[in-house]
Coordinates of all heavy atoms in Angstrom, one line a residue:
M220 N 142.5 65.9 61.8 CA 143.4 67.0 61.7 C 142.8 68.1 62.6 O 141.6 68.3 62.6 CB 143.6 67.5 60.3 CG 144.4 68.8 60.2 SD 144.5 69.5 58.6 CE 145.6 68.4 57.8
K221 N 143.6 68.8 63.3 CA 143.1 69.9 64.1 C 142.6 71.0 63.2 O 143.1 71.2 62.1 CB 144.3 70.5 65.0 CG 144.8 69.6 66.1 CD 145.8 70.3 66.8 CE 146.4 69.4 67.9 NZ 147.4 70.0 68.7
S222 N 141.5 71.6 63.7 CA 140.9 72.6 62.9 C 141.8 73.8 62.6 O 141.9 74.3 61.5 CB 139.7 73.1 63.7 OG 139.1 74.2 62.9
D223 N 142.7 74.2 63.6 CA 143.6 75.3 63.4 C 144.6 75.0 62.3 O 145.0 75.8 61.5 CB 144.4 75.6 64.7 CG 143.5 76.1 65.8 OD1 142.4 76.6 65.4 OD2 143.8 76.1 67.0
L224 N 145.1 73.7 62.3 CA 146.1 73.3 61.3 C 145.5 73.4 59.9 O 146.1 73.9 59.0 CB 146.7 71.9 61.6 CG 147.8 71.5 60.7 CD1 149.0 72.4 60.8 CD2 148.2 70.1 61.1
A225 N 144.3 72.9 59.8 CA 143.6 72.9 58.5 C 143.4 74.3 58.0 O 143.5 74.7 56.9 CB 142.3 72.1 58.6
N226 N 143.0 75.2 59.0 CA 142.8 76.6 58.6 C 144.0 77.3 58.2 O 144.0 78.1 57.3 CB 142.1 77.3 59.8 CG 140.7 77.0 60.0 OD1 140.0 76.6 59.1 ND2 140.2 77.2 61.2
N227 N 145.2 76.9 58.8 CA 146.4 77.5 58.4 C 146.8 77.1 57.0 O 147.2 77.9 56.2 CB 147.5 77.1 59.4 CG 147.4 77.8 60.7 OD1 146.8 78.8 60.9 ND2 148.1 77.2 61.7
Y228 N 146.6 75.8 56.7 CA 146.9 75.4 55.3 C 146.0 76.0 54.4 O 146.4 76.4 53.3 CB 146.8 73.8 55.2 CG 148.0 73.1 55.7 CD1 147.9 72.2 56.8 CD2 149.2 73.2 55.0 CE1 149.0 71.5 57.2 CE2 150.3 72.5 55.4 CZ 150.2 71.6 56.5 OH 151.3 70.9 56.9
R229 N 144.7 76.1 54.7 CA 143.7 76.8 53.8 C 144.1 78.2 53.6 O 144.0 78.7 52.4 CB 142.3 76.6 54.4 CG 141.8 75.3 54.2 CD 140.4 75.1 54.7 NE 140.0 73.7 54.6 CZ 139.2 73.1 55.5 NH1 138.7 73.7 56.5 NH2 139.0 71.8 55.3
M230 N 144.4 78.9 54.6 CA 144.8 80.4 54.4 C 146.1 80.5 53.5 O 146.1 81.4 52.7 CB 145.1 81.0 55.8 CG 143.8 81.3 56.6 SD 142.7 82.4 55.7 CE 141.2 81.5 55.9
G231 N 147.0 79.5 53.7 CA 148.2 79.5 52.8 C 147.8 79.3 51.4 O 148.3 79.9 50.5
G232 N 146.9 78.4 51.1 CA 146.4 78.1 49.8 C 145.7 79.3 49.2 O 145.9 79.7 48.0
Y233 N 144.8 79.9 50.0 CA 144.1 81.1 49.5 C 145.1 82.3 49.2 O 145.0 83.0 48.3 CB 143.1 81.6 50.6 CG 141.8 80.8 50.7 CD1 141.4 80.4 51.9 CD2 141.1 80.5 49.5 CE1 140.2 79.6 52.0 CE2 140.0 79.7 49.6 CZ 139.5 79.3 50.9 OH 138.4 78.6 51.0
L234 N 146.1 82.4 50.1 CA 147.1 83.4 49.9 C 147.9 83.2 48.6 O 148.0 84.2 47.8 CB 148.2 83.4 51.0 CG 149.4 84.3 50.9 CD1 148.9 85.8 51.0 CD2 150.4 84.0 51.9
L235 N 148.3 82.0 48.3 CA 149.0 81.8 47.0 C 148.1 82.0 45.8 O 148.5 82.6 44.8 CB 149.5 80.3 47.0 CG 150.7 80.1 47.9 CD1 151.0 78.6 47.9 CD2 151.9 80.9 47.6
I236 N 146.8 81.6 45.9 CA 145.9 81.9 44.8 C 145.7 83.4 44.6 O 145.8 83.9 43.4 CB 144.5 81.2 45.0 CG1 144.7 79.7 45.0 CG2 143.5 81.6 44.0 CD1 143.5 78.9 45.5
A237 N 145.5 84.1 45.7 CA 145.3 85.6 45.6 C 146.6 86.2 45.0 O 146.5 87.1 44.1 CB 145.0 86.1 46.9
I238 N 147.7 85.9 45.5 CA 149.0 86.5 44.9 C 149.1 86.1 43.5 O 149.5 87.0 42.7 CB 150.2 86.0 45.8 CG1 150.2 86.6 47.1 CG2 151.5 86.3 45.0 CD1 151.2 86.1 48.1
G239 N 148.8 84.9 43.1 CA 148.9 84.6 41.7 C 148.0 85.4 40.8 O 148.3 85.8 39.7
L240 N 146.7 85.6 41.3 CA 145.8 86.3 40.5 C 146.2 87.8 40.4 O 146.0 88.5 39.4 CB 144.4 86.2 41.1 CG 143.8 84.8 40.9 CD1 142.4 84.7 41.7 CD2 143.6 84.4 39.4
I241 N 146.7 88.3 41.5 CA 147.2 89.7 41.5 C 148.3 89.9 40.6 O 148.4 90.8 39.8 CB 147.5 90.2 42.9 CG1 146.3 90.3 43.8 CG2 148.3 91.5 42.9 CD1 146.5 90.5 45.3
N242 N 149.2 88.9 40.6 CA 150.4 88.9 39.7 C 149.9 88.9 38.2 O 150.4 89.6 37.4 CB 151.3 87.7 40.0 CG 152.5 87.7 39.2 OD1 153.2 88.7 39.1 ND2 152.9 86.5 38.6
L243 N 148.9 88.1 37.9 CA 148.3 88.0 36.6 C 147.8 89.3 36.1 O 148.0 89.8 35.0 CB 147.3 86.9 36.5 CG 146.6 86.7 35.2 CD1 147.6 86.2 34.2 CD2 145.5 85.7 35.3
R244 N 147.0 90.0 37.0 CA 146.4 91.2 36.7 C 147.4 92.4 36.5 O 147.3 93.1 35.5 CB 145.4 91.6 37.8 CG 144.8 93.0 37.7 CD 144.0 93.1 36.4 NE 143.5 94.5 36.3 CZ 144.0 95.4 35.5 NH1 145.0 95.1 34.7 NH2 143.4 96.6 35.4
Y245 N 148.3 92.5 37.4 CA 149.2 93.7 37.3 C 150.4 93.5 36.4 O 151.1 94.5 36.1 CB 149.7 94.0 38.7 CG 148.7 94.7 39.5 CD1 148.0 94.0 40.5 CD2 148.3 96.0 39.3 CE1 147.0 94.6 41.2 CE2 147.4 96.6 40.0 CZ 146.7 96.0 41.0 OH 145.7 96.6 41.7
Q246 N 150.6 92.3 35.8 CA 151.7 92.2 34.9 C 151.1 91.8 33.5 O 151.8 91.3 32.6 CB 152.6 91.1 35.3 CG 153.4 91.5 36.5 CD 154.5 90.5 36.8 OE1 154.9 89.7 36.0 NE2 155.0 90.6 38.0
T247 N 149.8 92.2 33.3 CA 149.2 92.0 32.0 C 150.0 92.7 30.9 O 150.4 93.8 31.0 CB 147.8 92.5 32.0 OG1 147.0 91.9 33.0 CG2 147.1 92.3 30.6
G248 N 150.3 92.0 29.8 CA 151.0 92.5 28.7 C 152.4 92.1 28.7 O 153.1 92.2 27.6
Q249 N 153.0 91.6 29.8 CA 154.3 91.0 29.7 C 154.3 89.6 29.3 O 153.4 88.9 29.5 CB 154.9 91.1 31.1 CG 155.2 92.5 31.6 CD 155.9 92.6 32.9 OE1 156.4 91.6 33.4 NE2 156.1 93.8 33.5
S250 N 155.4 89.2 28.6 CA 155.5 87.8 28.1 C 155.6 86.8 29.2 O 156.3 87.1 30.2 CB 156.6 87.7 27.1 OG 157.8 87.9 27.8
G251 N 154.9 85.7 29.1 CA 155.0 84.7 30.1 C 154.3 84.9 31.4 O 154.5 84.2 32.4
V252 N 153.4 85.9 31.5 CA 152.7 86.2 32.7 C 151.8 85.1 33.1 O 151.7 84.8 34.3 CB 152.0 87.6 32.6 CG1 150.8 87.5 31.7 CG2 151.5 88.0 34.0
L253 N 151.2 84.5 32.2 CA 150.3 83.4 32.5 C 151.0 82.2 33.1 O 150.6 81.6 34.1 CB 149.5 82.9 31.3 CG 148.4 81.8 31.5 CD1 147.4 82.3 32.5 CD2 147.8 81.4 30.3
T254 N 152.2 81.9 32.6 CA 153.0 80.8 33.1 C 153.5 81.1 34.5 O 153.4 80.3 35.4 CB 154.2 80.5 32.2 OG1 153.8 80.3 30.9 CG2 155.1 79.4 32.7
H255 N 153.9 82.4 34.7 CA 154.4 82.8 36.0 C 153.3 82.7 37.1 O 153.5 82.3 38.2 CB 155.0 84.2 36.0 CG 156.2 84.3 35.1 ND1 157.4 83.6 35.4 CD2 156.5 85.0 34.0 CE1 158.3 83.9 34.5 NE2 157.8 84.7 33.6
S256 N 152.1 83.2 36.7 CA 151.0 83.2 37.6 C 150.5 81.8 37.9 O 150.2 81.5 39.1 CB 149.9 84.1 37.0 OG 150.3 85.4 36.9
L257 N 150.4 81.0 36.9 CA 150.0 79.6 37.2 C 151.0 78.8 38.0 O 150.6 77.9 38.8 CB 149.8 78.9 35.9 CG 148.5 79.3 35.1 CD1 148.4 78.6 33.8 CD2 147.3 79.1 35.9
T258 N 152.3 79.2 38.0 CA 153.3 78.6 38.8 C 153.0 78.9 40.3 O 153.3 78.1 41.2 CB 154.7 79.2 38.5 OG1 154.9 78.9 37.1 CG2 155.8 78.5 39.3
I259 N 152.3 80.0 40.6 CA 151.9 80.3 42.0 C 150.5 79.8 42.3 O 150.2 79.3 43.4 CB 151.9 81.8 42.1 CG1 153.3 82.4 41.8 CG2 151.5 82.2 43.5 CD1 153.4 83.9 41.6
I260 N 149.6 79.9 41.3 CA 148.2 79.5 41.6 C 148.0 78.0 41.7 O 147.3 77.5 42.6 CB 147.3 80.0 40.4 CG1 147.3 81.6 40.5 CG2 145.9 79.5 40.5 CD1 146.6 82.2 39.3
I261 N 148.6 77.2 40.9 CA 148.4 75.7 40.9 C 148.8 75.1 42.3 O 148.1 74.3 42.8 CB 149.1 75.1 39.7 CG1 148.4 75.5 38.4 CG2 149.2 73.6 39.9 CD1 149.0 75.0 37.2
P262 N 150.0 75.4 42.8 CA 150.3 74.8 44.1 C 149.4 75.3 45.2 O 149.0 74.6 46.1 CB 151.7 75.3 44.4 CG 152.3 75.6 43.1 CD 151.2 76.1 42.3
G263 N 148.9 76.6 45.1 CA 147.9 77.1 46.1 C 146.6 76.3 46.0 O 146.0 76.0 47.0
T264 N 146.2 76.1 44.8 CA 145.0 75.3 44.6 C 145.1 73.9 45.1 O 144.2 73.3 45.7 CB 144.6 75.3 43.1 OG1 144.5 76.7 42.7 CG2 143.3 74.6 42.9
A265 N 146.2 73.3 44.8 CA 146.5 71.9 45.3 C 146.5 71.8 46.8 O 145.9 70.9 47.4 CB 147.8 71.4 44.7
L266 N 147.1 72.8 47.4 CA 147.2 72.8 48.9 C 145.8 73.0 49.5 O 145.4 72.3 50.4 CB 148.1 74.0 49.4 CG 148.2 74.2 50.9 CD1 148.7 72.9 51.5 CD2 149.0 75.4 51.2
L267 N 145.0 73.9 48.9 CA 143.6 74.2 49.3 C 142.8 72.9 49.2 O 142.1 72.5 50.1 CB 143.0 75.3 48.5 CG 141.7 75.8 49.0 CD1 141.8 76.4 50.4 CD2 141.2 77.0 48.1
I268 N 142.8 72.3 48.1 CA 142.0 71.0 47.8 C 142.5 69.9 48.8 O 141.6 69.2 49.3 CB 142.2 70.6 46.4 CG1 141.4 71.6 45.4 CG2 141.6 69.2 46.2 CD1 141.7 71.4 44.0
S269 N 143.7 69.8 49.0 CA 144.2 68.7 49.9 C 143.7 68.9 51.3 O 143.7 67.9 52.1 CB 145.7 68.7 49.9 OG 146.3 69.8 50.6
T270 N 143.3 70.1 51.8 CA 142.8 70.2 53.1 C 141.4 69.6 53.3 O 141.0 69.4 54.4 CB 142.8 71.7 53.6 OG1 141.9 72.4 52.7 CG2 144.1 72.3 53.5
W271 N 140.7 69.3 52.2 CA 139.4 68.7 52.3 C 139.4 67.2 52.0 O 138.3 66.6 52.1 CB 138.4 69.4 51.3 CG 137.9 70.7 51.9 CD1 137.1 70.9 53.0 CD2 138.2 72.0 51.4 NE1 136.9 72.2 53.2 CE2 137.5 73.0 52.2 CE3 138.9 72.5 50.3 CZ2 137.6 74.3 52.0 CZ3 139.0 73.9 50.1 CH2 138.3 74.8 51.0
I272 N 140.5 66.7 51.8 CA 140.7 65.2 51.5 C 141.1 64.6 52.8 O 142.2 64.8 53.3 CB 141.7 64.9 50.4 CG1 141.2 65.6 49.1 CG2 141.8 63.4 50.2 CD1 142.2 65.5 48.0
P273 N 140.2 63.8 53.4 CA 140.6 63.2 54.7 C 141.9 62.4 54.7 O 142.6 62.4 55.7 CB 139.4 62.3 55.0 CG 138.2 62.9 54.3 CD 138.9 63.4 53.0
A274 N 142.2 61.7 53.6 CA 143.4 60.9 53.6 C 144.6 61.8 53.6 O 145.7 61.3 54.1 CB 143.4 60.0 52.3
M275 N 144.5 63.0 53.3 CA 145.7 63.9 53.3 C 146.0 64.5 54.6 O 147.0 65.1 54.9 CB 145.5 65.0 52.3 CG 145.6 64.6 50.8 SD 147.2 64.0 50.4 CE 148.2 65.4 50.6
H276 N 145.0 64.4 55.6 CA 145.2 65.0 56.9 C 146.4 64.5 57.6 O 147.2 65.2 58.2 CB 143.9 64.8 57.7 CG 142.8 65.6 57.2 ND1 141.6 65.6 57.8 CD2 142.6 66.5 56.1 CE1 140.7 66.4 57.2 NE2 141.4 66.9 56.1
K277 N 146.6 63.1 57.5 CA 147.8 62.5 58.2 C 149.1 63.0 57.5 O 150.1 63.3 58.2 CB 147.7 61.0 58.2 CG 146.7 60.5 59.1 CD 146.7 58.9 59.1 CE 145.6 58.4 60.0 NZ 145.6 56.9 60.0
V278 N 149.1 63.2 56.2 CA 150.3 63.6 55.5 C 150.6 65.1 55.9 O 151.7 65.4 56.1 CB 150.1 63.4 54.0 CG1 151.2 64.0 53.2 CG2 149.9 62.0 53.6
L279 N 149.6 65.9 55.9 CA 149.8 67.3 56.1 C 150.1 67.6 57.6 O 150.7 68.6 57.9 CB 148.5 68.1 55.8 CG 148.1 68.2 54.3 CD1 146.8 68.9 54.1 CD2 149.2 69.0 53.6
N280 N 149.8 66.6 58.5 CA 150.1 66.8 59.9 C 151.5 66.4 60.3 O 151.9 66.6 61.4 CB 149.1 66.0 60.7 CG 148.8 66.6 62.0 OD1 149.1 67.8 62.2 ND2 148.2 65.9 62.9
T281 N 152.3 65.9 59.4 CA 153.7 65.5 59.7 C 154.6 66.7 59.7 O 154.3 67.7 59.1 CB 154.3 64.5 58.7 OG1 154.3 65.1 57.4 CG2 153.4 63.2 58.6
R282 N 155.7 66.6 60.5 CA 156.6 67.7 60.6 C 157.3 68.0 59.3 O 157.5 69.2 59.0 CB 157.6 67.3 61.7 CG 158.6 68.4 62.0 CD 159.5 68.0 63.1 NE 160.0 69.2 63.7 CZ 160.4 69.3 64.9 NH1 160.4 68.3 65.7 NH2 160.9 70.5 65.4
A283 N 157.6 67.0 58.5 CA 158.3 67.2 57.2 C 157.4 67.9 56.3 O 157.8 68.8 55.5 CB 158.7 65.9 56.7
S284 N 156.1 67.6 56.3 CA 155.1 68.2 55.4 C 155.0 69.7 55.8 O 154.9 70.5 54.9 CB 153.8 67.5 55.5 OG 152.9 68.1 54.7
K285 N 154.9 70.0 57.1 CA 154.8 71.4 57.5 C 156.0 72.2 57.0 O 155.8 73.3 56.5 CB 154.7 71.4 59.0 CG 153.4 70.9 59.6 CD 153.4 70.8 61.1 CE 152.2 70.1 61.6 NZ 152.2 70.0 63.1
A286 N 157.2 71.6 57.2 CA 158.4 72.3 56.8 C 158.5 72.5 55.3 O 158.8 73.6 54.8 CB 159.6 71.6 57.3
M287 N 158.1 71.5 54.6 CA 158.1 71.6 53.1 C 157.1 72.6 52.6 O 157.4 73.4 51.7 CB 157.9 70.2 52.5 CG 158.0 70.2 51.0 SD 157.8 68.6 50.3 CE 156.0 68.3 50.6
T288 N 155.9 72.6 53.2 CA 154.9 73.5 52.7 C 155.3 74.9 53.0 O 155.1 75.8 52.2 CB 153.6 73.2 53.4 OG1 153.2 71.8 53.1 CG2 152.4 74.1 52.9
L289 N 155.8 75.2 54.2 CA 156.3 76.5 54.6 C 157.4 77.0 53.7 O 157.4 78.1 53.2 CB 156.7 76.5 56.1 CG 157.1 77.9 56.6 CD1 156.0 78.9 56.6 CD2 157.6 77.7 58.0
T290 N 158.3 76.1 53.4 CA 159.4 76.5 52.5 C 159.0 76.8 51.1 O 159.3 77.8 50.5 CB 160.5 75.4 52.5 OG1 160.9 75.1 53.8 CG2 161.7 75.8 51.6
L291 N 158.1 75.9 50.6 CA 157.6 76.1 49.2 C 156.7 77.4 49.1 O 156.8 78.1 48.2 CB 156.8 74.9 48.8 CG 156.2 75.0 47.4 CD1 157.3 75.1 46.3 CD2 155.4 73.7 47.1
G292 N 155.9 77.6 50.1 CA 155.1 78.8 50.2 C 155.9 80.1 50.2 O 155.6 81.0 49.5
A293 N 156.9 80.1 51.0 CA 157.8 81.3 51.1 C 158.5 81.5 49.8 O 158.7 82.6 49.3 CB 158.8 81.1 52.2
F294 N 159.0 80.4 49.2 CA 159.6 80.5 47.9 C 158.7 81.1 46.8 O 159.1 81.9 46.0 CB 160.2 79.1 47.4 CG 160.7 79.1 46.0 CD1 161.9 79.7 45.7 CD2 160.0 78.5 45.0 CE1 162.4 79.7 44.4 CE2 160.4 78.5 43.7 CZ 161.7 79.1 43.4
L295 N 157.5 80.6 46.8 CA 156.5 81.1 45.8 C 156.1 82.5 46.0 O 155.9 83.3 45.1 CB 155.2 80.2 45.8 CG 155.4 78.8 45.2 CD1 154.2 77.9 45.4 CD2 155.8 78.9 43.7
I296 N 156.0 82.9 47.3 CA 155.8 84.3 47.6 C 156.9 85.2 47.1 O 156.7 86.3 46.5 CB 155.4 84.5 49.1 CG1 154.1 83.9 49.4 CG2 155.4 86.0 49.4 CD1 153.8 83.8 50.9
A297 N 158.1 84.8 47.4 CA 159.3 85.5 46.9 C 159.4 85.6 45.4 O 159.7 86.6 44.8 CB 160.6 84.9 47.5
Y298 N 159.0 84.5 44.8 CA 159.0 84.4 43.3 C 158.0 85.4 42.7 O 158.3 86.1 41.7 CB 158.6 83.0 42.9 CG 158.5 82.8 41.4 CD1 159.6 82.7 40.5 CD2 157.2 82.6 40.8 CE1 159.4 82.5 39.2 CE2 157.0 82.4 39.5 CZ 158.1 82.4 38.7 OH 158.0 82.2 37.3
A299 N 156.9 85.5 43.4 CA 155.8 86.5 42.9 C 156.3 87.9 43.1 O 156.1 88.7 42.2 CB 154.6 86.3 43.7
V300 N 157.0 88.2 44.2 CA 157.5 89.6 44.4 C 158.6 89.9 43.5 O 158.6 91.0 42.9 CB 157.9 89.7 45.9 CG1 158.6 91.0 46.1 CG2 156.7 89.6 46.8
I301 N 159.5 89.0 43.3 CA 160.7 89.3 42.4 C 160.3 89.3 41.0 O 160.8 90.1 40.2 CB 161.8 88.2 42.7 CG1 162.4 88.4 44.1 CG2 162.9 88.3 41.6 CD1 163.3 87.3 44.5
N302 N 159.4 88.4 40.6 CA 159.0 88.3 39.2 C 158.2 89.5 38.8 O 157.8 89.9 37.9 CB 158.3 87.0 39.0 CG 158.3 86.6 37.6 OD1 158.9 87.2 36.7 ND2 157.6 85.5 37.3

């Protein structure tokens, strides 16, 4: 996998984890905040971990995977902002 592509996926994973943790902190006291935050954190963690698995490099490098990851990431960011 190209180094730039791996870095882009890693930055996306870090972004989702950070947004999930910020969401958890700033919505403390509201019902379901842990569930909402984990909905953002878990995919970010999975994406981040997958960048270090050599077998996943071919999967992450496909056009469909790039589109799906971008779409899911944008959806999760919007979910964090709206929620």
Side-chain angles (χ1 to χ4, degrees):
M220 177 185 282
K221 292 182 180 178
S222 177
D223 292 340
L224 185 61
N226 285 336
N227 289 341
Y228 278 118
R229 285 183 186 145
M230 287 299 132
Y233 286 132
L234 173 70
L235 291 175
I236 293 169
I238 289 174
L240 291 173
I241 290 169
N242 186 45
L243 180 64
R244 171 63 183 104
Y245 284 103
Q246 293 190 16
T247 300
Q249 293 188 7
S250 64
V252 68
L253 184 60
T254 304
H255 295 297
S256 294
L257 287 177
T258 302
I259 302 164
I260 293 171
I261 291 173
T264 304
L266 179 61
L267 187 61
I268 290 170
S269 70
T270 62
W271 281 294
I272 300 172
M275 289 298 295
H276 290 181
K277 287 183 182 178
V278 174
L279 292 173
N280 210 13
T281 64
R282 185 176 202 153
S284 178
K285 291 175 190 176
M287 185 178 67
T288 303
L289 182 63
T290 303
L291 181 61
F294 173 74
L295 289 172
I296 291 169
Y298 175 73
V300 170
I301 292 170
N302 197 7

